[in-house]
């Protein structure tokens, strides 16, 4: 970047940059983000009659396309430049353009504070970088999120460089495995790693004389005599394969061998999935709008994990000992549960043998609040006591410690941090969506937003849990480090200011192997292709078709004058981020779309009096106003009711029966479950270009990625698709098929559970053989918890208590 700036300052383009900065300052604003900067630059190029290449290929053009922020001060211009993914730099240009210099993040945070008139000269600086110093790191930004592959290579290299030490550590790690005081894998007849290597040969010799399918119990005693306890396999062939993998790992370690061997090690039996603030239930509950996706996720994850653990236990031959997996979804008990089972302490997860929802109540404090559902923004004062109470309940329920604790969302991740710290258990974090990047400038103006959102507690909780976690799984690469044009959700925690509270000068190491890309699956019993006629229920199809196209109901708005037109379908909660209003306006502004299509919207609410917050009220009213403004009567159906998942699955298929399309028009989407649901149903799907949907659809021509800010461009993309469908009768079917197959093969719960359990085992082994200053790091996290988080949470509690 220095060379680029040097070229500008020493060349003919210096005046162009100066004029652009002058144009920015003339606007009266002082803070500009990337999209605004690009618009100003495009206007400048147009008004200055610059040649076409100048916008992209000139030195100034390159600089502007790398620039994500510009802050104007009286004496200086500050640029936050991102020359490549996961790498940001701060540059200061003097007002007279006489010189430029690279600055520290600390200097930039001071500037941001001055911008909002909340600068203080001495402020707490949070710097996590020392805890990652000397740690192994991914060296290429393209491999961020592939921590498992990195660790496998690293551990194999260590085995090669110092085989005697690492074989001993491998032996110690295997030797400590047990279940309820039952020794697994190894007994005291094998006292060392060297002896283990020798005994493997003896065991393989013994097994070679037996039939491959002979059950383990027939020769269990013989293996125990050699030092091998249960857990290696359920048949001669399986045990031989596992021991051969270990033998190869000792003598010629390779990443693929390590991964395959570790996948077979019986190290995980009890798993906790923490999802606290939603209505976590099964019958007519499935969360509220703000937690619906999360609740579905943890229920499906629990089922899948139990299935996978059952399979592993059986293949390891441990079912003969009566060992069963035990999965618990930990959530809060809500006494005033509005007719649901959310006041039930223990509820079995449907279609499982031993997976349960365990509900623990919040400490009462003020029962008028704690006995009811509490928004995710108000939950913070109750989490520490919840964790203390949950610890006792979990130990009693499991009759032992869990092997893995998985947090979901900011609140669940904080509780996961506390429980894993107390219980000394491997911690996994899943954010789903981080609020800080979702709410623009939420950290800079946190004081103005505190009464409504309490971001000071939440962002502190995020910092604590993401750094304390042993590993983090994300649904997409962009969730971590964004795209060349956008900053990732976790990347937004790299440095930021909470004016007059603290500065984060290094909040997370994006190159840490703790980051792992493990996308979720989809329930293929509910969401499956429309073409699978034999799986569809004719009566359900009739009912759902009637719901979407014909039925009159107080919760349905609109009658379709021409129901045979191709339907555009959208399913989303009523929020400004999900942007159903933007889709309706796009439809309203395009006569061509109205002539060829109907618009069908499915949300949980239709009338303003059903809203639970001001944002919902405004969005519902705005949607009605757009329908009226563009005279969309007869062209739109708006179904405002919560429907069961089975009906939703059929809704996608019914729209596909009519060769319709699905549109996900969110301003930002961290991932997008509904995109998976629509695509696997065989519904050609268009989705926002801002977020994880880029990776879900991943089409080369970008034809199905939409900019929700560009209504005209969106209409054109949809119309271009319809034109191709009209020209080529097979085109709709071809797109339908490749989208469905993509989800089936890449986004399934079997793959998810395999990868998740493998990560848990590898990171547990990693922490055992090569702990990297974790105790010092966790002490630092505890300090942030007690000195920053708790005082912020106590302020919320005072408000709840009426103080």
């Amino acid at each position: 970047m220095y060379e680029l700036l040097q070229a500008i300052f020493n060349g003919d383009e210096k005046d162009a940059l100066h004029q652009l900065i002058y144009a920015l300052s003339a606007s009266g604003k002082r803070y500009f983000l990337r999209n605004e900067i690009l618009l100003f630059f495009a206007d400048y190029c147009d008004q200055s009659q610059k040649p076409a290449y100048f916008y992209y290929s000139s030195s100034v053009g390159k600089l502007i396309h790398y620039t994500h922020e510009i802050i104007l001060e009286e004496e200086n211009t500050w640029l936050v430049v991102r020359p490549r993914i996961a790498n940001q730099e701060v540059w200061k240009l003097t007002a007279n353009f006489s010189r430029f210099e690279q600055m520290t993040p600390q200097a930039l945070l001071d500037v941001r504070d001055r911008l909002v008139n909340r600068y203080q000269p001495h402020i707490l600086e949070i710097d996590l970088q020392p805890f990652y110093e000397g740690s192994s790191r991914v060296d290429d930004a393209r491999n961020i999120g592939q921590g498992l592959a990195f660790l496998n290579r690293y551990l194999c290299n260590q085995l090669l460089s110092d085989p005697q030490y690492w074989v001993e550590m491998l032996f110690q790690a295997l030797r400590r495995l047990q279940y309820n005081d039952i020794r697994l894998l190894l007994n005291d007849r094998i006292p060392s790693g060297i002896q283990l290597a020798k005994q493997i040969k003896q065991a393989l010799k013994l097994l070679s004389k037996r039939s491959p399918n002979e059950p383990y119990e027939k020769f269990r005693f013989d293996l125990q005599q050699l030092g091998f306890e249960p857990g290696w396999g359920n048949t001669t062939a399986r045990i031989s394969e596992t021991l051969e993998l270990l033998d190869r790992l000792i003598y010629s370690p390779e990443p693929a061998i390590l991964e395959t061997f570790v996948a077979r090690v019986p190290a995980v039996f009890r798993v906790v999935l923490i999802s606290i603030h939603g209505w976590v239930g099964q019958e007519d509950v499935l969360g509220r709008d703000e937690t619906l996706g999360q609740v579905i996720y943890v229920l499906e994850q629990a089922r899948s994990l139990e299935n996978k653990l059952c399979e592993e236990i059986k293949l390891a031959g441990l079912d003969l000992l009566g060992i069963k997996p035990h999965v618990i979804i930990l959530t809060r008990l809500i006494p005033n549960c509005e007719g649901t089972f959310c006041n039930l302490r223990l509820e079995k997860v449907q279609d499982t043998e031993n997976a349960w929802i365990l509900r623990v109540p919040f400490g009462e404090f003020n029962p008028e609040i704690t006995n009811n559902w509490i928004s995710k923004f108000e939950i913070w004062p109750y989490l520490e006591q919840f964790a203390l109470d949950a610890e006792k309940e979990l130990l009693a329920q499991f009759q032992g410690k869990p092997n893995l604790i998985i947090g979901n969302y900011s609140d669940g991740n904080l509780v996961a941090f506390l429980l894993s710290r107390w219980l000394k258990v491997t911690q996994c974090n899943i954010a789903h969506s981080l609020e800080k990047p979702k709410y623009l400038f939420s950290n800079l103006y946190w004081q103005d937003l505190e009464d409504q959102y309490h971001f000071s507690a939440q962002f502190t909780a995020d910092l604590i849990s993401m750094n304390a976690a042993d590993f983090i799984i994300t649904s997409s690469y962009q969730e971590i480090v964004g795209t060349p044009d956008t900053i990732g959700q976790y990347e937004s925690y790299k440095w930021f200011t909470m004016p007059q509270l603290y500065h984060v000068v290094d909040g997370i190491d994006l190159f840490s192997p703790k980051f792992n890309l493990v996308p979720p699956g989809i329930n293929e019993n509910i969401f499956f292709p429309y073409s699978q006629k034999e799986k569809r229920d004719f009566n359900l199809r009739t009912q759902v078709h009637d719901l979407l196209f014909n039925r009159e109901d107080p919760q349905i708005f609109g009658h379709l004058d021409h129901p045979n037109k191709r339907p555009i379908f959208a399913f989303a909660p009523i929020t400004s981020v999900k942007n159903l209003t933007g889709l309706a306006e796009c439809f309203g502004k395009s006569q061509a779309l109205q002539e060829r299509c109907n618009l069908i919207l499915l949300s949980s609410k239709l009338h303003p009096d059903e809203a639970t917050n001001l944002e919902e009220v405004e969005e519902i009213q705005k949607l009605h106003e757009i329908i009226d403004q563009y005279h969309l009567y007869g062209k739109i159906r708006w179904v405002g009711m919560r429907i069961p998942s089975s009906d939703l699955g059929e809704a996608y298929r019914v729209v596909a029966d009519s060769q319709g399309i699905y549109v996900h028009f969110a301003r930002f989407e961290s991932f997008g479950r509904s995109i998976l649901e629509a695509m696997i149903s065989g519904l050609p799907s268009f989705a926002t270009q801002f977020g994880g949907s880029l990776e879900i659809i991943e089409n080369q021509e970008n034809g199905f990625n939409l900019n929700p800010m560009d209504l005209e461009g969106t209409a054109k993309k949809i119309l271009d698709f319809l034109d191709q469908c009209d020209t080529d009768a097979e085109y709709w079917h071809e797109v339908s098929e490749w989208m469905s197959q993509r989800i089936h093969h890449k986004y399934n719960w079997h793959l998810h559970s395999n990868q998740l359990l493998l990560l848990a085992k590898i990171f547990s082994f990693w922490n055992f053989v090569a702990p990297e200053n974790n105790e010092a790091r966790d002490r630092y996290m505890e300090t942030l918890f007690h000195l920053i988080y708790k005082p912020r949470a106590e302020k919320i509690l005072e408000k709840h208590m009426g103080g």
Side-chain angles (χ1 to χ4, degrees):
M1 194 50 58
Y2 175 85
E3 289 78 8
L4 184 59
L5 281 162
Q6 189 73 37
I8 294 169
F9 268 64
N10 291 343
D12 297 335
E13 295 181 18
K14 183 176 179 179
D15 287 343
L17 181 58
H18 203 167
Q19 288 163 14
L20 174 63
I21 300 299
Y22 180 80
L24 290 170
S25 62
S27 71
K29 292 182 63 178
R30 294 171 61 197
Y31 202 157
F32 302 88
L33 298 180
R34 188 171 188 274
N35 285 343
E36 293 174 291
I37 296 166
L38 289 173
L39 285 172
F40 268 97
F41 186 54
D43 287 345
Y44 165 78
C45 291
D46 184 49
Q47 291 171 14
S48 303
Q49 297 183 328
K50 296 290 185 185
Y53 81 88
F54 193 85
Y55 180 76
Y56 289 106
S57 303
S58 65
S59 294
V60 168
K62 290 175 184 175
L63 175 66
I64 294 305
H65 280 84
Y66 287 141
T67 300
H68 282 252
E69 295 178 31
I70 293 178
I71 301 175
L72 303 179
E73 287 195 303
E74 202 169 303
E75 297 298 323
N76 302 297
T77 298
W78 295 75
L79 275 61
V80 178
V81 180
R82 192 169 178 260
R84 55 191 175 276
I85 280 178
N87 181 274
Q88 297 181 52
E89 300 174 4
V90 182
W91 291 87
K92 182 177 74 172
L93 317 181
T94 56
N96 60 5
F97 274 54
S98 61
R99 60 189 177 87
F100 62 90
E101 62 179 315
Q102 188 169 359
M103 305 298 290
T104 63
Q106 289 93 323
L108 175 71
L109 300 183
D110 285 342
V111 171
R112 288 175 177 166
D113 288 355
R114 287 198 294 270
L115 185 72
V116 295
N117 299 316
R118 283 173 176 157
Y119 170 74
Q120 70 181 58
H122 301 290
I123 189 169
L124 171 66
E125 289 188 345
I126 297 174
D127 184 0
L128 281 303
Q129 195 269 338
F131 299 107
Y132 294 100
E133 267 183 9
S135 298
S136 50
R137 298 176 85 236
V138 174
D139 56 2
D140 188 331
R142 290 171 296 183
N143 295 328
I144 289 173
Q146 304 297 325
L148 176 65
F150 172 85
L151 277 185
N152 284 343
R153 289 194 303 273
Y154 183 88
L155 289 168
C156 286
N157 288 336
Q158 295 300 309
L159 274 163
L160 283 168
S161 63
D162 189 354
Q164 191 169 341
Y165 170 76
W166 282 90
V167 168
E168 185 61 28
M169 294 306 294
L170 181 60
F171 161 72
Q172 295 292 348
L174 295 174
R175 187 185 187 187
R176 69 192 183 111
L177 292 176
Q178 60 174 14
Y179 176 86
N180 284 3
D181 297 325
I182 300 171
R183 291 283 293 271
L184 303 179
L185 298 184
L186 301 175
N187 61 39
D188 292 335
R189 288 188 173 89
I190 300 178
S192 68
I194 294 172
Q195 190 63 32
L196 171 62
K198 292 177 181 176
Q199 292 300 93
I200 291 171
K201 306 288 188 189
Q202 294 299 316
L204 288 171
K205 186 176 179 181
L206 180 150
L207 294 166
S208 68
K209 299 173 183 176
R210 296 183 174 273
S211 166
N213 295 321
E214 189 172 351
Y216 165 65
E217 60 264 32
K218 294 284 184 69
F219 51 87
R220 173 180 175 179
F221 178 75
D222 295 330
L223 280 179
Q224 284 179 320
Q225 288 291 100
L226 292 174
F228 296 97
E229 291 293 324
W232 296 99
N234 59 341
T235 64
T236 303
R238 180 78 179 182
I239 296 169
S240 295
E241 287 172 11
T242 308
L243 288 172
E244 282 169 1
L245 283 167
L246 181 55
D247 187 56
R248 290 175 64 192
L249 186 60
I250 290 171
Y251 291 104
S252 55
E254 295 174 15
I257 296 171
L258 175 63
E259 186 168 316
T260 308
F261 173 72
V262 169
R264 293 182 174 217
V265 172
V268 179
F269 305 98
R270 301 177 175 123
V271 181
V272 185
L273 311 175
I274 306 176
S275 178
I276 300 171
H277 68 270
W279 292 85
V280 180
Q282 299 174 96
E283 298 294 336
D284 302 320
V285 189
L286 286 181
R288 292 205 166 184
D289 280 353
E290 68 178 42
T291 59
L292 174 61
Q294 183 190 145
V295 174
I296 293 172
Y297 181 105
V298 295
L299 284 168
E300 292 182 1
Q301 189 183 55
R303 292 188 188 100
S304 178
L305 280 172
E306 194 214 30
N307 285 338
K308 176 60 181 170
L309 287 170
C310 279
E311 178 189 312
E312 286 191 356
I313 287 168
K314 185 174 181 180
L315 286 171
L318 295 178
D319 54 333
L320 301 172
L321 303 181
I323 294 175
K324 293 181 180 179
H326 196 168
V327 178
I328 288 178
I329 298 172
L330 175 65
T331 188
R332 63 173 295 235
L333 186 146
I334 307 173
N336 297 336
C337 61
E338 300 179 18
T340 71
F341 290 146
C342 291
N343 65 340
L344 197 64
R345 178 184 172 273
L346 203 60
E347 180 184 358
K348 192 174 184 182
V349 176
Q350 293 164 3
D351 304 319
T352 68
E353 291 292 321
N354 200 22
W356 303 82
I357 302 171
L358 173 64
R359 301 185 180 92
V360 176
F362 279 171
E364 283 195 351
F365 299 106
N366 179 355
E368 290 182 11
I369 289 179
T370 54
N371 282 356
N372 299 291
W373 176 78
I374 299 174
S375 161
K376 63 184 178 183
F377 297 117
E378 302 287 336
I379 201 168
W380 307 106
Y382 310 105
L383 297 183
E384 184 179 18
Q385 186 60 50
F386 175 86
L388 287 164
D389 296 339
E391 180 187 18
K392 298 172 191 168
E393 295 270 6
L394 287 170
L395 291 174
Q397 202 66 32
F398 280 134
Q399 296 184 326
K401 291 200 309 183
N403 307 111
L404 174 64
I405 297 175
I406 304 172
N408 287 270
Y409 198 71
S410 297
D411 49 355
N413 286 328
L414 187 73
V415 171
F417 156 69
L418 294 171
L419 287 172
S420 63
R421 178 79 175 134
W422 299 335
L423 295 171
K424 306 298 181 190
V425 172
T426 302
Q427 176 194 350
C428 166
N429 275 20
I430 309 174
H432 298 288
S433 176
L434 291 161
E435 301 293 334
K436 191 169 85 63
K438 192 190 297 183
Y439 290 83
L440 197 60
F441 299 129
S442 51
N443 59 289
L444 195 58
Y445 294 101
W446 72 271
Q447 284 136 307
D448 302 327
L449 302 168
E450 191 70 355
D451 284 348
Q452 183 176 0
Y453 294 112
H454 308 297
F455 285 142
S456 64
Q458 179 159 6
F459 299 167
T460 306
D462 287 336
L463 274 176
I464 292 168
S465 60
M466 70 175 64
N467 282 285
D470 294 294
F471 65 99
I472 297 169
I473 67 173
T474 68
S475 298
S476 63
Y477 175 83
Q478 69 78 33
E479 194 177 326
I480 311 168
V481 285
T483 68
D485 300 327
T486 59
I487 289 172
Q489 292 188 57
Y490 282 95
E491 188 179 359
S492 75
Y493 284 77
K494 185 66 177 174
W495 67 51
F496 66 94
T497 174
M498 303 286 281
Q500 298 176 337
L501 183 61
Y502 57 70
H503 282 175
V504 175
V505 297
D506 200 322
I508 187 71
D509 183 1
L510 301 168
F511 290 82
S512 168
K514 74 166 60 183
F515 284 107
N516 282 270
L517 178 55
V518 187
I522 202 80
N523 187 337
E524 295 190 39
N525 293 319
I526 296 173
F527 303 100
F528 56 86
Y530 78 102
S531 55
Q532 293 182 4
K533 306 290 186 187
E534 70 284 356
K535 287 181 70 174
R536 296 177 66 178
D537 182 317
F538 176 78
N539 290 330
L540 180 62
R541 182 191 179 282
T542 303
Q543 292 168 15
V544 171
H545 185 279
D546 185 49
L547 174 76
L548 295 182
F549 290 93
N550 304 311
R551 187 191 309 174
E552 293 187 8
D553 188 284
Q555 290 304 119
I556 300 176
F557 176 93
H559 169 79
L560 299 178
D561 292 341
H562 303 284
N564 292 327
K565 285 183 182 179
R566 196 186 297 267
I568 298 172
F569 181 52
F571 162 61
I574 297 284
T575 68
S576 60
V577 172
K578 297 301 183 184
N579 198 31
L580 286 179
T581 52
L583 178 59
E585 188 170 7
C586 174
F587 184 72
K589 285 187 170 183
S590 174
Q591 283 300 125
L593 276 181
Q594 293 174 44
E595 287 167 10
R596 298 171 72 171
C597 302
N598 290 314
L599 179 61
I600 301 176
L601 306 178
L602 176 59
S603 69
S604 61
K605 291 160 188 168
L606 181 67
H607 307 290
D609 59 8
E610 297 162 7
T612 56
N613 57 57
L614 182 60
E615 181 186 356
E616 282 186 347
V617 172
E618 291 173 349
E619 286 296 300
I620 292 170
Q621 289 174 340
K622 185 178 177 182
L623 193 42
H624 282 290
E625 289 164 5
I626 288 168
I627 293 168
D628 189 53
Q629 177 184 350
Y630 293 101
H631 307 290
L632 297 179
Y633 307 102
K635 304 170 185 177
I636 189 170
R637 286 267 289 179
W638 176 5
V639 180
M641 62 178 74
R642 176 75 63 82
I643 65 173
S645 294
S646 56
D647 291 21
L648 177 60
E650 190 60 27
Y652 293 118
R653 292 187 288 272
V654 164
V655 175
D657 289 335
S658 301
Q659 293 197 14
I661 63 171
Y662 180 75
V663 178
H664 188 90
F665 209 51
R667 298 177 192 276
F668 174 83
E669 181 57 70
S670 59
F671 187 64
R673 282 186 57 85
S674 64
I675 304 168
L676 300 185
E677 295 167 355
M679 286 175 68
I680 201 166
S681 302
L683 198 50
S685 300
F686 295 76
T688 178
Q689 68 186 42
F690 301 117
S693 55
L694 280 173
E695 291 169 52
I696 297 174
I697 296 178
E698 202 181 52
N699 65 304
Q700 296 299 319
E701 289 138 10
N702 220 21
F704 295 94
N705 296 317
L706 306 175
N707 181 349
M709 303 296 109
D710 181 4
L711 303 186
E712 186 178 334
T714 292
K716 184 179 184 308
K717 280 195 176 182
I718 295 173
L719 289 165
D720 287 347
F721 172 77
L722 299 181
D723 287 343
Q724 284 185 271
C725 291
D726 292 344
T727 304
D728 179 357
E730 291 303 307
Y731 184 67
W732 186 95
H733 295 283
E734 289 169 4
V735 173
S736 166
E737 179 66 14
W738 78 251
M739 285 196 171
S740 181
Q741 288 299 314
R742 174 167 174 76
I743 303 307
H744 175 71
H745 291 296
K746 184 169 181 181
Y747 298 94
N748 65 72
W749 282 113
H750 181 73
L751 283 176
H752 175 96
S753 296
N754 285 356
Q755 196 77 348
L756 177 55
L757 291 174
L758 185 55
L759 282 164
K761 294 171 186 178
I762 282 284
F763 276 92
S764 177
F765 174 59
W766 173 252
N767 287 336
F768 175 72
V769 299
E772 293 189 340
N773 206 18
N774 289 345
E775 183 59 28
R777 176 202 68 187
D778 290 348
R779 289 289 184 190
Y780 193 90
M781 295 304 108
E782 284 185 342
T783 302
L784 295 182
F785 177 82
H786 287 286
L787 298 186
I788 299 178
Y789 172 83
K790 281 187 71 171
R792 304 309 308 173
E794 284 163 7
K795 285 184 178 295
I796 305 170
L797 184 60
E798 285 176 20
K799 184 180 170 186
H800 288 184
M801 298 296 286

